[in-house]
Amino acid sequence: MASTVGTTEATPSAPVVPKTTRRKERKGTYPYWFYLPATIIYTIFFLVPTFASFYFSFTRWDLFTSTWIGLKNYQTFFAEQALITGLGNTLIYAVITSGLKVVLGIARGYLRSVVFFPVLVSTIGVGLTFTVLMNPEKGLINNALAVVGIDGPGWLTNPSLALFSIAFVDVWKGVGLATVIYIAGLVSIPQEYYEAAEVDGASRWNIFRNIMLPLARPATATVITLSLIGGLRSFDLIWAMTKGGPGFASDVIASVIYKQYQAGFYGLSTAGSVVLFLVVTIIVVPLTWWLNRGEES
């Protein structure tokens, strides 16, 4: 009979967890604390003012009191003829500026630093400078046209040209950023695609249409989205150059809101801000989804 003296039966025991593993488990939520400062700032400076604007848009208010009046601010706002003009001008301005920035951005030149320079200049400074340059009588642009026998128009005084003149200045200032975005997008395209296309005898146009445009789609989506948001929210350049004039010819929603605020209609201007927020959201969110839908597949 086999002796069992000095032998013990092995008993199962819990696996030994290394100290480093336990330390990682304890600190697993540590990185999430880094979200807290950004969350607090976002809440204070965006969420709270946004919800407060929705509330005050239904009131007649000043710095000390507010009275609930329901939808009267919105009824008055939409009854304003200036709003109808401003809404149309806003859409025209946004489409022109975003479209031209896309076209000129992708057709980038070699003087990249020169193209980007206007982005660094103050918008108000650009507006004041071009106001002088576009002066119908003493402006440099019309004086240059007069040298070749062309009678220059009133770029900012003609109601038919004012909005388009400001849009041209906006494109001149913002196309540099679109160019940089396109450069980043095009540089990321593998060089092998171009080499294979050249071996197959593809023309420059075919390379541009079948390689550059499809693979630069993320850059195009970014440029369109940023430019459209900027165009719909445009105010500073327009106010610096024409203050919405002549008449209401270059008024946009933001300038109409500002004029109402200047006149002391705080509740009405708040309602206008909510309308502008909804207009930007309704246009930009579906468009962004449509532009980026191919990236998710």
Side-chain angles (χ1 to χ4, degrees):
M1 182 175 182
S3 175
T4 59
V5 179
T7 62
T8 59
E9 184 178 358
T11 58
S13 60
V16 178
V17 180
K19 293 183 178 181
T20 56
T21 303
R22 291 199 299 269
R23 189 178 298 114
K24 288 181 180 179
E25 290 178 355
R26 287 197 302 269
K27 294 185 178 181
T29 59
Y30 173 72
Y32 291 103
W33 288 103
F34 287 107
Y35 291 109
L36 186 60
T39 302
I40 295 174
I41 294 174
Y42 183 78
T43 301
I44 294 175
F45 291 102
F46 180 78
L47 293 182
V48 172
T50 298
F51 286 107
S53 296
F54 274 91
Y55 169 77
F56 283 110
S57 69
F58 295 101
T59 67
R60 182 180 290 112
W61 65 275
D62 54 31
L63 295 178
F64 305 102
T65 61
S66 64
T67 304
W68 183 269
I69 60 173
L71 295 173
K72 290 184 179 179
N73 281 330
Y74 291 96
Q75 293 171 352
T76 304
F77 192 83
F78 282 107
E80 290 277 346
Q81 179 60 37
L83 172 68
I84 306 301
T85 303
L87 179 59
N89 287 342
T90 300
L91 296 176
I92 294 171
Y93 188 89
V95 170
I96 291 175
T97 53
S98 60
L100 287 178
K101 286 175 185 177
V102 168
V103 174
L104 297 178
I106 199 169
R108 71 197 189 284
Y110 294 101
L111 301 177
R112 298 173 184 177
S113 59
V114 176
V115 172
F116 187 74
F117 174 75
V119 178
L120 307 177
V121 183
S122 165
T123 301
I124 300 299
V126 170
L128 295 177
T129 300
F130 272 89
T131 300
V132 175
L133 294 176
M134 291 180 171
N135 185 287
E137 298 177 358
K138 302 178 182 179
L140 180 62
I141 295 177
N142 280 2
N143 287 343
L145 292 175
V147 173
V148 293
I150 299 176
D151 187 14
W155 301 101
L156 302 177
T157 57
N158 186 333
S160 301
L161 293 177
L163 186 67
F164 297 100
S165 300
I166 302 172
F168 165 80
V169 178
D170 192 312
V171 172
W172 176 84
K173 185 182 187 308
V175 72
L177 181 60
T179 301
V180 170
I181 294 173
Y182 270 117
I183 289 173
L186 294 176
V187 166
S188 65
I189 299 176
Q191 191 66 27
E192 290 80 2
Y193 293 163
Y194 298 108
E195 295 173 355
E198 291 176 358
V199 170
D200 291 340
S203 64
R204 285 184 172 271
W205 168 248
N206 287 331
I207 293 175
F208 174 78
R209 186 183 62 180
N210 298 317
I211 297 178
M212 292 178 62
L213 277 183
L215 297 182
R217 181 170 179 172
T220 302
T222 301
V223 172
I224 291 177
T225 301
L226 294 179
S227 301
L228 195 58
I229 292 174
L232 292 171
R233 296 173 58 250
S234 58
F235 169 75
D236 46 1
L237 185 62
I238 292 175
W239 193 258
M241 296 185 70
T242 63
K243 292 183 171 57
F248 303 113
S250 61
D251 253 333
V252 291
I253 295 181
S255 62
V256 173
I257 293 170
Y258 184 71
K259 289 177 181 179
Q260 291 170 343
Y261 183 84
Q262 280 186 319
F265 301 114
Y266 303 127
L268 190 60
S269 62
T270 306
S273 299
V274 172
V275 171
L276 179 59
F277 172 79
L278 293 177
V279 168
V280 174
T281 302
I282 291 171
I283 293 176
V284 171
V285 171
L287 179 63
T288 302
W289 172 84
W290 182 79
L291 290 172
N292 293 314
R293 71 192 189 285
E295 299 300 313
E296 300 175 357
S297 58

